[in-house]
Amino acid sequence: MINIAIMGHGVVGSGVVEVLLHNNDGITSRAAEEINIKHILDLREFPDSPLSDRFTKDFNDILNDESVKIVVETMGGVKPAYDFVKSCLLAGKSVVTSNKELVAKHGQELVTIAKENNLNFLFEASVGGGIPIIRPMTQCLAANKICDVIGILNGTTNFIMTKMIKDNTDFKEALSIAQQLGYAEKDPTADVEGHDACRKICILASLAFGKHVYPESVYTEGISNITLRDVEYASKWGGVIKLLGKVSILENGKIAVTVYPAFVSNESQLSLVDDVFNAIMVNGDATGEVMFYGRGAGKLPTASAVVADVIDCVKHMKARKYLDWAPAEDNYVVNYLDIKTRLFIRAKTDNYNADKKLIVENFGDVQFLSDEGDEIAFVTDENIERELRTGLEKTGLKADAVIHIL
Ligand code: HSE
């Protein structure tokens, strides 16, 4: 029998307990050992839990219990999760976490401590919830040089975009529906402004290319400024708008990482990923594109990934430290303005034909999506973003929307 502790009994933590209890027989046989939840750390009371006798409010009950070999962290946030996780690793306990903020911020340090102490620090649930992505990318695709990773990494924003695209619901209304359904938090900033997707692409980028990527170094734009007008133009262009996290390796060894809403062609599989679903497309030099799809959030899907990591820890005590990466040098992540892209631009106009001429003068061949009227909308050819922005300034147009094209 192996003793574990769970820190945090919120949505994911309680899901971990549920999965461990409900699927006990299968899990025991796969782990080849019984997994016993010895402590659950939470400041709240849970008198109705079948494990009500295991609750503690004191982290030291876990830290000082030498019989606890694996600690699950499902508290979320960095404080106090970072201190608790680091202390557990330094005390010789393997750690499994679902906490993307923690991994994106401190992952490099924590994997290094784990490696130095012959332990595991696993975080499959931190990206894509129940979708297997971290283990497949680092193990099954290990023979590849990864060229790029593109993902719909946030279920809440994908739900909102789907409502806007399919039901013609505006952003505010779609957000309110997402909140009523419990997808979006009361304060939806982390989801709608792209911070959650940013943390996830940072983790994937660190794993794919071997150096730590900090969220602060990633150009991040959310979906709160997307209007139904933009959705309409995307449809006219032949696609949909999706919030994407993207990372690719450049010839000079640096990487381009971005999070922004983008026009995605109807021919791309990513355009078909709707509602709260996530999808991650990994492009390896040997495999070509491989796509991972499923429920990127939610109690049981996320708990499924956490428990699988626990089983992995049980089966590989003092072994398997396949997840690690190095610190990055300054300017490892290139400025998004120096990356080649295409842009959709929409602006008001007083003189459609004159502005059309100006646009062609400054951008060359573009694809106009608007009909003659008081608004002009077009898609540029590919160029360095800085050049495209300079071109826009030269037209004198005041853009109401500038959206990237995948
Ligand atoms: N709030 C996230 C989402 C789930 O909507 O995808 C956890 O990362």
Side-chain angles (χ1 to χ4, degrees):
M1 187 176 77
I2 191 129
N3 286 328
I4 72 163
I6 301 172
M7 303 193 293
H9 196 256
V11 175
V12 179
S14 61
V16 171
V17 172
E18 196 174 318
V19 169
L20 279 168
L21 296 183
H22 192 258
N23 294 349
N24 183 263
D25 289 351
I27 290 168
T28 305
S29 94
R30 287 197 192 100
E33 196 141 10
E34 184 153 350
I35 296 171
N36 175 50
I37 303 170
K38 191 162 177 199
H39 307 284
I40 304 173
L41 179 70
D42 204 295
L43 295 175
R44 296 163 295 178
E45 308 282 342
F46 294 91
D48 298 330
S49 163
L51 301 184
S52 56
D53 57 328
R54 322 281 168 93
F55 278 83
T56 174
K57 293 181 172 56
D58 185 357
F59 168 63
N60 290 311
D61 287 345
I62 293 171
L63 186 66
N64 298 330
D65 185 338
E66 284 187 12
S67 79
V68 170
K69 301 293 181 206
I70 299 163
V71 178
V72 172
E73 186 274 308
T74 47
M75 307 167 76
V78 166
K79 268 188 178 168
Y82 167 67
D83 288 332
F84 286 4
V85 166
K86 191 169 166 180
S87 303
C88 286
L89 289 169
L90 290 169
K93 303 176 196 301
S94 284
V95 174
V96 171
T97 183
S98 58
N99 186 337
K100 57 230 85 186
E101 195 177 350
L102 175 71
V103 182
K105 220 166 185 166
H106 296 289
Q108 200 276 323
E109 182 192 2
L110 296 171
V111 285
T112 305
I113 296 174
K115 194 175 171 195
E116 285 168 1
N117 289 278
N118 212 18
L119 299 162
N120 279 300
F121 175 63
L122 302 182
F123 43 88
E124 182 63 63
S126 66
V127 181
I131 306 172
I133 175 64
I134 291 187
R135 201 170 273 98
M137 203 173 81
T138 50
Q139 290 192 276
C140 311
L141 297 177
N144 288 259
K145 265 193 205 147
I146 292 177
C147 312
D148 51 67
V149 181
I150 305 175
I152 293 173
L153 299 167
N154 183 269
T156 303
T157 46
N158 204 39
F159 174 84
I160 293 172
M161 286 314 311
T162 305
K163 277 270 162 220
M164 292 177 74
I165 294 161
K166 300 230 152 129
D167 300 343
N168 213 31
T169 311
D170 72 11
F171 171 78
K172 243 175 124 185
E173 176 66 16
L175 170 59
S176 146
I177 298 170
Q179 282 170 322
Q180 283 158 34
L181 292 173
Y183 300 143
E185 314 256 343
K186 230 184 189 172
D187 176 0
T189 314
D191 288 325
V192 301
E193 297 308 340
H195 307 310
D196 176 75
C198 176
R199 290 167 190 145
K200 292 167 179 167
I201 198 67
C202 285
I203 296 170
L204 295 178
S206 302
L207 286 166
F209 301 112
K211 293 181 192 173
H212 194 90
V213 178
Y214 288 97
E216 299 75 37
S217 62
V218 175
Y219 174 73
T220 302
E221 189 187 308
I223 62 162
S224 55
N225 291 325
I226 300 291
T227 65
L228 289 174
R229 202 88 190 104
D230 301 316
V231 168
E232 243 173 75
Y233 279 119
S235 165
K236 204 163 173 192
W237 172 79
V240 288
I241 303 177
K242 296 279 176 195
L243 181 70
L244 301 179
K246 281 201 319 171
V247 57
S248 52
I249 185 114
L250 308 176
E251 272 173 16
N252 62 7
K254 293 180 188 282
I255 60 168
V257 198
T258 49
V259 174
Y260 49 56
F263 280 25
V264 177
S265 160
N266 288 331
E267 281 165 27
S268 164
Q269 292 202 48
L270 289 170
S271 72
L272 303 172
V273 177
D274 284 333
D275 297 316
V276 285
F277 283 85
N278 284 193
I280 301 139
M281 190 117 79
V282 183
N283 189 3
D285 66 342
T287 55
E289 281 176 352
V290 183
M291 178 134 148
F292 301 88
Y293 170 86
R295 292 186 183 279
K299 179 175 174 166
L300 295 180
T302 310
S304 147
V306 171
V307 174
D309 275 351
V310 172
I311 295 171
D312 208 358
C313 281
V314 173
K315 291 184 80 164
H316 299 95
M317 297 302 271
K318 308 270 170 213
R320 174 170 295 186
K321 282 139 294 278
Y322 57 85
L323 298 172
D324 85 83
W325 59 90
E329 65 276 11
D330 287 348
N331 304 322
Y332 170 56
V333 176
V334 299
N335 188 318
Y336 77 101
L337 290 170
D338 296 323
I339 305 169
K340 276 191 168 177
T341 187
R342 293 167 73 204
L343 293 176
F344 160 79
I345 297 169
R346 174 171 63 81
K348 288 269 170 291
T349 173
D350 295 332
N351 188 335
Y352 191 89
N353 287 316
D355 281 337
K356 193 168 175 182
K357 200 162 159 257
L358 264 178
I359 288 165
V360 174
E361 273 168 26
N362 284 286
F363 289 96
D365 217 6
V366 303
Q367 182 186 359
F368 285 98
L369 298 176
S370 50
D371 298 322
E372 193 170 337
D374 62 359
E375 183 173 77
I376 196 154
F378 60 99
V379 170
T380 70
D381 263 356
E382 192 177 65
N383 201 347
I384 304 288
E385 182 153 349
R386 197 183 298 282
E387 303 278 328
L388 293 175
R389 300 262 175 191
T390 306
L392 178 59
E393 263 174 43
K394 284 189 186 158
T395 62
L397 288 167
K398 201 179 155 304
D400 289 324
V402 177
I403 301 176
H404 293 81
I405 311 281
L406 176 61

